[in-house]
Amino acid sequence: MTPATRLDLDPDQAPEPATGSWLERRLPVGRALRREYRDYPLPRNLNALWFFGAFAVVTLAAMIVTGICLALHYTPTEAGAFDSVEAIIRRVPSGWILRSVHMAGASCFFAVLYVHIFRGLYYGSYKAPREVLWLSGFVALLMVMATAFFGYVLPWGQMSYWGAVVVGNAVAAIPLIGHPLAGMLLGGDAPGAATPMRFFVLHMLCGGLICAVLFIHIAALHVTGSNNPAGIEPRSPADTLPMHPFYTTKDGVGLCLFLAVLLGLAFLAPALLTEADNYLPANPLLTPPDITPEWYFTPFYALLRSVPSRLGGLLLAGAALAVVAAVPWLDRAPTRSARFRPLARPAWFAMAASFLLLGLAGSHEATGFWLWLGRLAGLYWFLHFLVLLPLIARIERPLPLPTSLA
Amino acid sequence: MKPVLLAAFAALLPGVTLAAPIREEGAARRGLAVYHQVCSVCHSLSHVEIGDLAGLGLSDRQLRDLAADIQVAGPPGPDGTPTTRAANLSDRLLSHFPDEASARAANNGALPPDLSEIARTRQGGAHRIFTLLTGYTDPPKGVSVPDGQFYNAATHTHLIAMPPPLADGAVTYDDGTNPTLAQEAHDAAAFLAWSADPHRSARHWLGGVTIAFLAVLAGLVFALKRRVWSRV
């Protein structure tokens, strides 16, 4: 077998001749940007749900800018962390603005990602040839979850501390490597002197890794192109529009509304998204009556607490994510969009409802009604991905697909 | 989708303003007098620096006068004895007790909590502080109050370790306001609400301006989008 050489390439695919300015001939960035962000063809029928990818990029940028400014004033020590955050919100110039935006940004990031993911599930955006796109997005979600957890511990309030305890216990439940791993993570048997510095480093590191994974996600997107509400590939140039000016202006409208939500939450209703208990300094001797995670972790928290075994809970929460990663191989139906799938469409709504119910269960004490609601919703979640999706792919008769997007 | 979002916002706004009606700069400034003359005997406000009180509208002169009136721990004397000095603007409003043990010893075993964030961390916020401060009554017949505890209708157990801190005339106001119990409690609650959320009014102003700006911008970009898309 001969290795592929440049000469084997299709002439149409060969690199463009080096022309243009001195820099362009050596590093054709301008040309690449024009190709990928101005002329880049997008399906002409994208709806508002396709805004959310752009929202996520903008949120990430805001998180990095505010996060770097906050890091300049943060003290990653057990004794200094809470005080330094108090100083940021009280007397660092504009510190309260940075922190409000960073906190609201974290919530909005998850809201945006959840919409983005459930949009992908509805319109079959994970199906061939977009499996790598889907998996890279899944890795990005895991990185965002890790970053959010590390970041939440940094202010060293009561919920920070006890959140770290819960996660430390969950990690310690892993057989064999659990205990050493939790010890390495927390820097001791329980959160303590070493924890804020470790989590500070990990928070910044994971934030950087999100950027790297996002780069791969967008690169993969630009290879396959965007899916669209009809779920069929554009067949002719008439089916697509160049990104600029069409989607730059359309996304621009969405972005204004999204920023109004983000900044409205940050400045007018911060209490909606914050746990007041986290303004009490961490106290290892005083367990809060109910340890509640931020809303975006509640579905997984419900699963973590749904069985009377730490390891079992951890496995369930991990598996709930894993089935999402595996969905391109669980759902083998050739039709992408749920619009044309009479069985997959109601199943999607039931699945989304089970996720919401899991979240609701996870935000209440794990007893009686809420415990059982969480168990049932969790059961349905797995039923959907492991049984219903493969089954529907076999028995469903999809509606006729349109022949063009125009 | 857009009208839904706008409606959601419109629905949020009144809820935001209703959240903490005990809030007025004059009241919060008088509340500082209540804190300084009464609360600070046992409690701390340890995250607030004296200079931060400028956010209540105090002038530099007033802040310096207040600082001169507060004694904080100074450097040890030549023979190692503890000393005190007048506070300066970067000093915090710490507890007068050197440590937790002495604070408990002086308060029947109870530890007076730090008040910096109390209006946020206690359910009910400023309202709860007001009802607590005015909730002391004689116990109803048949209810016995243990030693070192006081009857207060505003707590869950109807018992509290803090002796009634306020009374008519317990505070001297320099703006001539009549220091009734209700007035003092209201002012103290307003001051603690400020302490838990010192940038509240700037935050609301910024939120309003930001949303107004983005609403206009969204309108303009929407007009542009319609023009661009009219070609397809």
Side-chain angles (χ1 to χ4, degrees):
Chain A
M1 202 176 102
T2 51
T5 65
R6 295 174 71 89
L7 295 177
D8 297 331
L9 292 171
D10 183 340
D12 290 344
Q13 299 271 306
E16 294 167 47
T19 55
S21 73
W22 185 87
L23 183 63
E24 275 301 291
R25 275 178 278 130
R26 285 156 181 81
L27 189 69
V29 169
R31 193 161 62 227
L33 287 178
R34 276 197 297 283
R35 190 179 60 234
E36 297 300 336
Y37 293 100
R38 189 188 66 184
D39 307 332
Y40 179 64
L42 283 158
R44 60 186 297 151
N45 59 335
L46 300 187
N47 61 27
L49 289 170
W50 265 263
F51 286 157
F52 285 77
F55 293 172
V57 174
V58 169
T59 313
L60 179 64
M63 294 304 275
I64 288 172
V65 172
T66 54
I68 287 173
C69 296
L70 288 169
L72 298 177
H73 297 276
Y74 173 71
T75 313
T77 63
E78 197 182 12
F82 189 86
D83 274 8
S84 71
V85 173
E86 282 284 329
I88 286 169
I89 57 183
R90 286 174 191 277
R91 64 189 76 87
V92 168
S94 303
W96 62 275
I97 299 180
L98 295 171
R99 181 146 195 270
S100 303
V101 172
H102 203 69
M103 287 170 82
S107 269
C108 287
F109 208 171
F110 276 96
V112 162
L113 288 182
Y114 285 149
V115 174
H116 190 63
I117 291 164
F118 279 89
R119 185 271 285 158
L121 289 170
Y122 186 84
Y123 293 110
S125 302
Y126 47 84
K127 295 190 181 188
R130 297 189 177 82
E131 298 96 326
V132 172
L133 177 60
W134 182 255
L135 286 177
S136 64
F138 178 76
V139 174
L141 172 71
L142 295 184
M143 303 303 311
V144 171
M145 294 175 99
T147 310
F149 164 66
F150 292 134
Y152 191 69
V153 175
L154 295 183
W156 213 240
Q158 271 290 68
M159 283 299 154
S160 297
Y161 180 90
W162 290 97
V165 170
V166 169
V167 171
N169 286 342
V171 171
I174 302 172
L176 293 176
I177 58 162
H179 267 287
L181 195 64
M184 232 155 60
L185 186 70
L186 301 175
D189 290 338
T195 313
M197 181 56 102
R198 275 177 205 208
F199 279 33
F200 187 43
V201 171
L202 288 169
H203 182 62
M204 306 280 273
L205 179 69
C206 288
L209 288 178
I210 294 172
C211 295
V213 178
L214 180 67
F215 184 83
I216 294 171
H217 189 60
I218 293 177
L221 170 70
H222 282 235
V223 171
T224 62
S226 292
N227 185 30
N228 62 75
I232 56 169
E233 294 297 327
R235 301 226 164 100
S236 71
D239 282 351
T240 64
L241 292 168
M243 182 155 171
H244 182 72
F246 294 97
Y247 282 103
T248 41
T249 52
K250 191 171 176 177
D251 284 2
V253 179
L255 213 48
C256 288
L257 297 172
F258 170 66
L259 287 177
V261 171
L262 196 166
L263 297 171
L265 281 170
F267 297 141
L268 299 180
L272 272 185
L273 303 174
T274 52
E275 190 66 47
D277 265 6
N278 218 29
Y279 289 90
L280 292 169
N283 184 349
L285 302 177
L286 184 74
T287 316
D290 196 20
I291 304 174
T292 29
E294 297 288 276
W295 68 268
Y296 42 77
F297 282 139
T298 50
F300 305 100
Y301 193 52
L303 288 168
L304 203 63
R305 298 186 303 177
S306 61
V307 286
S309 143
R310 275 183 186 166
L311 180 61
L314 187 69
L315 288 176
L316 278 179
L321 284 164
V323 293
V324 177
V327 73
W329 296 276
L330 293 170
D331 172 17
R332 305 309 301 255
T335 312
R336 290 196 193 114
S337 174
R339 279 188 184 175
F340 307 106
R341 302 187 59 191
L343 296 179
R345 191 168 179 272
W348 180 91
F349 281 101
M351 177 271 294
S354 76
F355 189 71
L356 292 177
L357 289 176
L358 266 175
L360 212 56
S363 56
H364 290 83
E365 229 177 308
T367 49
F369 173 73
W370 294 112
L371 180 64
W372 281 102
L373 180 74
R375 285 174 174 172
L376 286 175
L379 197 66
Y380 186 80
W381 179 263
F382 288 109
L383 185 75
H384 173 84
F385 284 97
L386 297 176
V387 179
L388 291 184
L389 276 186
L391 188 68
I392 288 172
R394 282 168 174 245
I395 60 172
E396 185 180 52
R397 299 186 58 185
L399 306 178
L401 293 173
T403 51
S404 91
L405 303 177
Chain B
M1 192 192 91
K2 265 157 282 160
V4 175
L5 274 184
L6 289 177
F9 257 124
L12 266 180
L13 286 174
V16 168
T17 36
L18 278 177
I22 296 191
R23 190 70 198 228
E24 185 219 322
E25 225 177 45
R29 266 202 301 271
R30 282 193 302 276
L32 170 62
V34 181
Y35 174 80
H36 183 53
Q37 295 171 35
V38 180
C39 316
S40 72
V41 174
C42 298
H43 290 278
S44 55
L45 201 65
S46 61
H47 293 294
V48 176
E49 288 181 4
I50 296 174
D52 294 345
L53 297 166
L56 287 174
L58 266 66
S59 68
D60 197 47
R61 180 66 193 273
Q62 286 169 311
L63 290 174
R64 283 176 197 288
D65 288 348
L66 179 73
D69 202 25
I70 295 174
Q71 289 290 310
V72 297
D79 51 352
T81 51
T83 62
T84 59
R85 61 172 170 82
N88 55 47
L89 296 190
S90 60
D91 276 314
R92 297 180 182 209
L93 296 169
L94 299 177
S95 166
H96 291 311
F97 300 111
D99 50 50
E100 185 182 327
S102 49
R104 283 190 189 276
N107 289 284
N108 259 318
L111 180 69
D114 184 76
L115 300 181
S116 309
E117 296 278 4
I118 201 116
R120 170 153 40 196
T121 54
R122 293 290 157 98
Q123 241 177 5
H127 277 291
R128 168 135 170 75
I129 293 168
F130 175 81
T131 47
L132 185 83
L133 290 174
T134 54
Y136 290 92
T137 55
D138 292 330
K141 275 204 175 68
V143 173
S144 70
V145 177
D147 254 5
Q149 299 273 307
F150 300 86
Y151 188 85
N152 188 316
T155 66
H156 280 302
T157 56
H158 289 193
L159 292 174
I160 189 169
M162 173 170 72
L166 302 175
D168 290 340
V171 179
T172 319
Y173 285 136
D174 54 10
D175 67 353
T177 306
N178 182 21
T180 60
L181 168 64
Q183 181 73 46
E184 293 163 6
H186 174 269
D187 294 348
F191 174 65
L192 294 178
W194 168 82
S195 170
D197 191 4
H199 300 286
R200 191 181 135 95
S201 42
R203 193 158 60 67
H204 284 178
W205 178 84
L206 190 59
V209 169
T210 310
I211 287 177
F213 172 80
L214 285 169
V216 173
L217 188 62
L220 291 173
V221 179
F222 184 62
L224 182 66
K225 185 249 164 194
R226 298 241 337 222
R227 247 171 88 170
V228 167
W229 282 73
S230 66
R231 286 191 256 146
V232 299

